[in-house]
Amino acid sequence: EQKAYLMKSQSKSEKPTLVCPIELRDEEQVVRWIAEITGRDESTIRNRLRQEFERPGFNVVREFAEISLEPYVWSEELVRFYEQTDAFLYELVVWNCNSLKRRMRSYISKYLTEHEGSGRNVLCVGDGLGVDSFYLAQHRQKVTYFELEGFSHRFASKLFSLTDAEIKVASEPQHIPTESFDAVVCLDVLEHVRDVPSFLKQITAYLRPGGILIVHAPFYMIHPSNPTHLKANRIYSGKLDLYYECSLKLINGRFFWNPLIFEKVSDDTNQRKPQRSALGMFSLKLGGWYLSIGRFSILPFRWIDFYRTRRNKCFEAH
């Protein structure tokens, strides 16, 4: 699992073939989909995928520089960049194949099954290529995928065609009913958002009372490989008050907050007890103290960069 994308060959003379994990099937399929979506030739797409695996963020950084956008800052030009570029297709293929993301996806699915049961109404917010939605639907959850129209949305539609599980698709916030979901999953989205508290309140409103929010938001990842992460949001790194102010109660999660799990509390529902021991809950707070260093230092980025590069070897023959 640590090698999400591998080059394998039958002999040294053969051209190696890129193999995707089950959620993305195989290289030929992924390349074909991107070609159909973008109109680019397949050799260019393969080359861009390989560059992305060797240097995560390569495609976004290159296009960012080509149009001279200021990194880490919100602007109308940044909005247009999101709408027009196809660079995120390559970045998201690589990230969804990374062992760190795959483990987080597996953890979330296992958590939902063990603590919430199957057949729960789950909203995946900003799911990009739709891999998380696909995975949870395959594990018997009732999934709604929410992503704005664009290249990633079109890729997700192709991915969803591979499963018999029903996945509802929404592209406009007003089409999502409030207080109707048992769980909202929001991974790697908040660090891109201009007004984090307002956005968090918006997605919390989709939860029924007693529902759970599963969130991962690496606010500390202000690095040249992530120019679309907003520096203004670094103040939220390791900060639980951001969630408490939305009537969310921490009940579970992992040390590095990948992810955290909150319950939406109200006067009309019995609040759950924390699902970890006192020591386990303390470890989450300890992880938060470490991530709070990310408000002024790149230090918390170092551990994730290890997984994005050294643990993301994709062109090794075996």
Side-chain angles (χ1 to χ4, degrees), residues 114-318:
E114 293 183 353
H115 292 274
E116 304 298 314
S118 59
R120 312 306 291 175
N121 289 320
V122 180
L123 174 66
C124 290
V125 174
D127 187 20
L129 304 185
V131 179
D132 297 332
S133 297
F134 180 90
Y135 189 87
L136 293 177
Q138 290 290 88
H139 287 77
R140 298 184 296 169
Q141 303 299 345
K142 298 178 180 178
V143 178
T144 298
Y145 160 89
F146 171 52
E147 181 64 72
L148 299 178
E149 291 278 4
F151 291 113
S152 296
H153 192 281
R154 279 174 263 171
F155 187 102
S157 296
K158 292 182 178 294
L159 180 64
F160 297 160
S161 69
L162 300 180
T163 179
D164 293 331
E166 180 183 359
I167 302 175
K168 297 180 180 178
V169 176
S171 59
E172 296 292 340
Q174 60 267 29
H175 296 159
I176 304 174
T178 59
E179 296 194 350
S180 57
F181 291 93
D182 301 301
V184 169
V185 178
C186 182
L187 308 179
D188 309 306
V189 174
L190 298 181
E191 64 274 16
H192 299 267
V193 174
R194 184 181 187 181
D195 187 343
V196 176
S198 294
F199 186 84
L200 191 57
K201 289 177 182 177
Q202 178 185 348
I203 64 175
T204 301
Y206 299 138
L207 283 170
R208 63 168 178 79
I212 60 170
L213 172 69
I214 303 176
V215 61
H216 176 241
F219 294 117
Y220 53 84
M221 286 180 63
I222 302 300
H223 184 267
S225 62
N226 304 105
T228 59
H229 290 191
L230 302 183
K231 187 176 289 187
N233 291 344
R234 290 179 73 178
I235 61 172
Y236 301 118
S237 188
K239 190 173 184 179
L240 287 171
D241 288 348
L242 172 68
Y243 304 97
Y244 296 157
E245 291 168 2
C246 294
S247 299
L248 294 166
K249 173 187 174 183
L250 181 66
I251 58 173
N252 213 325
R254 302 172 75 192
F255 180 80
F256 285 115
W257 293 18
N258 57 330
L260 289 177
I261 303 175
F262 297 89
E263 176 192 11
K264 180 180 179 179
V265 299
S266 71
D267 295 334
D268 300 326
T269 58
N270 294 324
Q271 295 186 23
R272 313 177 195 210
K273 294 180 180 179
Q275 295 164 340
R276 301 190 64 172
S277 65
L279 181 60
M281 295 303 290
F282 175 76
S283 73
L284 291 181
K285 293 183 179 180
L286 186 63
W289 293 336
Y290 174 71
L291 295 179
S292 67
I293 298 172
R295 299 174 195 173
F296 53 85
S297 169
I298 200 172
L299 178 62
F301 175 79
R302 297 301 183 190
W303 71 274
I304 195 171
D305 193 43
F306 175 82
Y307 281 91
R308 295 202 318 163
T309 53
R310 296 174 181 84
R311 302 294 288 276
N312 197 33
K313 302 297 185 183
C314 54
F315 299 146
E316 294 179 358
H318 71 270

Side-chain angles (χ1 to χ4, degrees), residues 8-22:
K8 63 180 183 179
S9 59
Q10 299 300 318
S11 68
K12 292 183 179 179
S13 61
E14 291 183 20
K15 183 179 179 180
T17 302
L18 196 60
V19 180
C20 291
I22 187 64

Side-chain angles (χ1 to χ4, degrees), residues 45-90:
I45 293 167
R46 286 192 181 88
N47 185 52
R48 294 186 71 177
L49 280 171
R50 284 163 172 75
Q51 290 171 321
E52 190 70 32
F53 271 104
E54 292 170 357
R55 296 172 56 191
F58 173 85
N59 288 280
V60 171
V61 170
R62 184 179 65 178
E63 293 198 11
F64 222 75
E66 286 177 355
I67 60 176
S68 301
L69 269 178
E70 182 180 0
Y72 323 128
V73 176
W74 179 269
S75 66
E76 293 302 321
E77 290 77 12
L78 178 59
V79 175
R80 287 192 287 273
F81 179 76
Y82 279 123
E83 294 172 346
Q84 297 171 6
T85 185
D86 64 357
F88 290 106
L89 289 174
Y90 307 97

Side-chain angles (χ1 to χ4, degrees), residues 69-113:
L69 269 178
E70 182 180 0
Y72 323 128
V73 176
W74 179 269
S75 66
E76 293 302 321
E77 290 77 12
L78 178 59
V79 175
R80 287 192 287 273
F81 179 76
Y82 279 123
E83 294 172 346
Q84 297 171 6
T85 185
D86 64 357
F88 290 106
L89 289 174
Y90 307 97
E91 182 177 79
L92 291 174
V93 165
V94 171
W95 174 231
N96 276 287
C97 291
N98 186 278
S99 63
L100 186 65
K101 177 62 186 290
R102 294 172 73 190
R103 289 173 183 170
M104 181 159 54
R105 185 183 303 126
S106 177
Y107 172 88
I108 292 169
S109 178
K110 184 178 180 181
Y111 174 87
L112 287 172
T113 300

